[in-house]
Amino acid sequence: MGFWWRPLSVLASVLLVALILWAGSGWVAALGFLAGIQAFVMLRRLWQEFRLARWLENPDEVEPPDATGTWGDIFYRLQKLQKRQKASRGQLTSALEQFEHAAMAVPDGMVILNGNEQIDWCNPASRTYMGLDCERDRGQFVRYLLRQAHFLEFLDAADFSRRLVCKSPINREITLSLQLVPFGEGKKLLVARDITDLERVDAMRRDFIANVSHELRTPLTVVGGFVETMADAPDLPAAEYRRYFDLMLDHTRRMQHLLDDLLTLSRLESADHKLNDEPVNVPELAASLKAEAESLSRGQHRIKLQLDSTAWLKGSLQEIRSALGNLVSNAVRYTPGGGEITLSWRERDGEGVFAVSDTGEGIAAEHIPRLTERFYRVDRSRSRETGGTGLGLAIVKHVLTRHGARLEIQSIPGKGSTFSAIFPTQHMQPAGVPAGASVIPFPEREQAAG
Ligand code: ADP
């Protein structure tokens, strides 16, 4: 009723005035008055319509018309409506902007394809993984840009539960997992995830299992073969029996060493294996390692100990002993009889350096970066002959990393090698004899740490 009240009351007033004029001055005056009012209303309406049209052409920039009466009401309501729309448009725009920023920041490549498989939008990661450029490639058919046969087959299959694992078309080092997700009317989202690390871990796992199986196969075949021979020929001469037993014992020990080393590695790698922070008496440990080297060498090498520091270390005695013991054992095993092996302990710029030098066969430069990989050996048969498992330096690297230390290898083929374990200042401590510090006795070869 609010809207109608004002025009109806104006109309009633005009009619009243017209009636009074008619009664007082006759019908001509009344009609003249009504015609004048009519003309005024028409002109006013035209004027307000013009102002409304001008405002509606550019409502965000032009000020809304100012009017009274019914037109004022209309303008006021339109302006309210416009304000409400503007606010909800602003909210929508900021939600869209946020969504776009999030999609731009997603580390996976994302491409929106329309019903014709043309690119509608793609994020920056899709450039890294697929070489796409949102500005340049918008509207392009994805088939013309990514032409690998397996990708086209994947698109044709439109099997949304399937993932395609393939190399990135622009970087063969990157392995991608592609997935198509349908949405809207015939649209698709193509998602490209970098699974290079996962693939690498999977390849390492496969290699590891293949290596362990390979390492176990030979000793198991030998032991199995001897057991069969002895079962088939119970009256073998005693000397033959002895020889077979010795060989079986040898191969059984080899398997035992392998399992010990594997267990050590697995313990070192397990997340809940905490590092001890006990005092390690390095000079005493070095003397014990020298005795170990002499026992392994059986008098074939000259073994020297050079102690230029009395400092101790903080860490796990068992792990450090296992790591340094591996370096010592390698020096003995890869140095021909008559050679010299030197164990030394010194400080350099606050760091502790435990070095094992030998005058053995040395290592060609191209092998050095790979020596700490599991089962990597320069000469497989040489390593086996001397009871190696191919895991010794992998254990060394793990132990040193856990102590914030590093391994440096210097070697000249034919002349010898120096393996240095370098411990950081924070793991060094002055000599002393705190309770509980001791050096555990050496087993025949390095046993599992931890
Ligand atoms: P392994 O059980 O075969 O000795 P390691 O991991 O201890 O395994 O060593 C890996 C390889 O590094 C060895 O197979 C050997 O080829 C080489 N190597 C290690 N120490 C020495 C050394 N002191 N002199 C020469 N080669 C060495």
Side-chain angles (χ1 to χ4, degrees):
M1 190 61 201
F3 179 82
W4 293 107
W5 170 247
R6 202 196 310 259
L8 285 179
S9 59
V10 171
L11 189 64
S13 313
V14 167
L15 285 176
L16 189 66
V17 173
L19 277 175
I20 293 170
L21 276 175
W22 195 348
S25 313
W27 61 272
V28 177
L31 275 182
F33 171 72
L34 283 176
I37 290 290
Q38 176 74 6
F40 171 74
V41 168
M42 267 176 63
L43 279 175
R44 187 166 180 261
R45 190 173 156 178
L46 267 175
W47 170 237
Q48 298 296 24
E49 278 174 3
F50 166 73
R51 293 172 76 199
L52 177 64
R54 205 176 50 180
W55 176 52
L56 289 181
E57 260 174 27
N58 211 349
D60 285 339
E61 274 153 41
V62 176
E63 279 294 300
D66 190 18
T68 52
T70 312
W71 280 101
D73 260 7
I74 292 173
F75 290 151
Y76 173 70
R77 282 170 202 218
L78 276 173
Q79 194 187 355
K80 235 166 86 175
L81 201 70
Q82 185 218 4
K83 273 190 185 155
R84 218 180 302 145
Q85 269 184 348
K86 206 168 157 183
S88 74
R89 206 167 50 221
Q91 278 171 359
L92 206 67
T93 312
S94 93
L96 265 176
E97 267 174 10
Q98 268 192 39
F99 179 76
E100 189 166 352
H101 286 156
M104 297 288 249
V106 169
D108 297 338
M110 287 170 52
V111 186
I112 293 179
L113 301 175
N114 66 17
N116 299 322
E117 294 177 351
Q118 285 165 296
I119 296 174
D120 269 356
W121 177 89
C122 55
N123 70 349
S126 63
R127 175 195 278 267
T128 317
Y129 298 138
M130 294 179 277
L132 300 177
D133 180 320
C134 199
E135 295 306 314
R136 187 195 60 202
D137 298 329
R138 183 169 287 145
Q140 297 279 345
F141 288 95
V142 74
R143 285 173 185 270
Y144 296 156
L145 300 176
L146 307 173
R147 293 155 177 251
Q148 289 86 345
H150 46 264
F151 177 71
L152 299 181
E153 195 190 302
F154 173 68
L155 266 186
D156 289 335
D159 177 355
F160 301 120
S161 62
R162 196 181 133 197
R163 281 164 202 261
L164 173 70
V165 174
C166 59
K167 291 285 170 201
S168 153
I170 54 159
N171 183 351
R172 307 293 300 164
E173 306 271 293
I174 299 179
T175 306
L176 296 176
S177 162
L178 301 183
Q179 193 182 7
L180 276 173
V181 185
F183 74 100
E185 279 182 24
K187 295 203 171 206
K188 286 176 215 145
L189 178 67
L190 173 65
V191 184
R193 176 161 301 164
D194 181 356
I195 55 161
T196 316
D197 286 345
L198 281 178
E199 278 280 295
R200 201 172 293 144
V201 170
D202 203 42
M204 272 169 66
R205 187 184 55 81
R206 283 196 303 268
D207 282 358
F208 183 70
I209 292 174
N211 273 319
V212 172
S213 317
H214 185 77
E215 292 297 324
L216 286 175
R217 193 163 48 209
T218 315
L220 271 177
T221 312
V222 172
V223 173
F226 285 137
V227 170
E228 269 177 31
T229 312
M230 284 154 70
D232 292 347
D235 42 0
L236 272 175
E240 270 307 81
Y241 258 117
R242 183 74 250 156
R243 200 171 69 83
Y244 285 0
F245 270 123
D246 285 348
L247 283 167
M248 287 200 300
L249 195 62
D250 213 36
H251 283 279
T252 313
R253 280 203 184 118
R254 228 167 97 178
M255 289 191 275
Q256 186 63 51
H257 288 159
L258 181 65
L259 292 180
D260 285 344
D261 281 355
L262 283 172
L263 280 173
T264 304
L265 265 181
S266 123
R267 256 187 240 121
L268 290 171
E269 277 175 355
S270 84
D272 50 352
H273 185 59
K274 281 193 67 188
L275 183 67
N276 280 350
D277 206 10
E278 56 192 323
V280 179
N281 181 341
V282 184
E284 199 177 313
L285 175 61
S288 169
L289 286 167
K290 181 175 179 260
E292 159 75 354
E294 280 161 349
S295 133
L296 283 173
S297 159
R298 295 203 190 94
Q300 291 181 57
H301 308 90
R302 279 190 313 284
I303 299 174
K304 296 204 282 187
L305 176 61
Q306 196 180 317
L307 288 175
D308 295 328
S309 164
T310 54
W312 289 19
L313 282 172
K314 262 185 289 187
S316 159
L317 171 61
Q318 266 182 315
E319 287 185 23
I320 293 177
R321 196 206 65 73
S322 167
L324 302 183
N326 270 312
L327 298 183
V328 170
S329 144
N330 281 355
V332 174
R333 287 166 46 239
Y334 297 107
T335 304
E340 190 173 286
I341 293 164
T342 307
L343 281 58
S344 65
W345 173 235
R346 65 180 194 282
E347 281 172 71
R348 189 180 67 192
D349 302 331
E351 295 182 316
V353 183
F354 190 98
V356 181
S357 306
D358 63 55
T359 56
E361 55 203 53
I363 308 155
E366 72 264 24
H367 295 294
I368 292 181
R370 300 197 57 190
L371 290 183
T372 54
E373 287 175 22
R374 295 158 184 207
F375 297 111
Y376 188 86
R377 288 130 153 170
V378 177
D379 179 346
R380 192 169 280 267
S381 55
R382 174 98 178 83
S383 156
R384 287 223 184 95
E385 265 168 37
T386 57
T389 60
L391 296 174
L393 290 181
I395 293 175
V396 173
K397 188 183 166 192
H398 263 286
V399 170
L400 294 188
T401 307
R402 278 164 64 79
H403 287 80
R406 61 188 194 278
L407 179 68
E408 267 180 20
I409 306 173
Q410 282 149 349
S411 188
I412 303 174
K415 291 238 184 275
S417 318
T418 299
F419 286 74
S420 308
I422 301 164
F423 293 89
T425 317
Q426 58 271 32
H427 275 272
M428 302 287 284
Q429 67 167 59
V433 197
S438 63
V439 174
I440 56 170
F442 275 105
E444 195 180 312
R445 193 183 187 278
E446 300 71 44
Q447 285 298 307

